[in-house]
Amino acid sequence: MSERPIRRDFASRPADPEHWIKAADVAPEHRPGAAFTARLTIDVTPELRGRIKVAAFRYGVTVAEMLRDLLAREFPPQSGDQP
């Protein structure tokens, strides 16, 4: 019988767990996208999604950048909040 090829799925475990765990200790400035530590999921209609994408395109930014700026403007840090 032929041997099945090793298939790496999206959620597959790393081959070397110790290396994978230690990789989390790398400073955030050395990891792309590390400044954003949470993902926000919202449900919108396809029409609204289209309007958001068109608006971002017109501003010359990505949807994520535009929404981060919008949320930062609408919800500024309060005194006593941690950064």
Side-chain angles (χ1 to χ4, degrees), residues 12-69:
S12 65
R13 293 183 181 185
D16 182 9
E18 288 300 316
H19 181 265
W20 181 65
I21 292 168
K22 290 178 183 175
D25 295 336
V26 175
E29 62 271 4
H30 299 306
R31 290 184 289 163
F36 309 110
T37 59
R39 183 171 299 270
L40 176 65
T41 303
I42 61 170
D43 294 324
V44 295
T45 63
E47 294 81 16
L48 178 57
R49 180 176 179 261
R51 292 196 313 264
I52 292 169
K53 289 175 76 171
V54 168
F57 179 77
R58 286 184 179 153
Y59 290 127
V61 297
T62 65
V63 171
E65 291 169 334
M66 185 179 74
L67 293 176
R68 282 185 203 114
D69 290 343

Side-chain angles (χ1 to χ4, degrees), residues 1-24:
M1 291 185 104
S2 63
E3 189 174 316
R4 296 176 83 179
I6 296 174
R7 192 172 138 213
R8 302 268 184 226
D9 291 329
F10 173 73
S12 65
R13 293 183 181 185
D16 182 9
E18 288 300 316
H19 181 265
W20 181 65
I21 292 168
K22 290 178 183 175

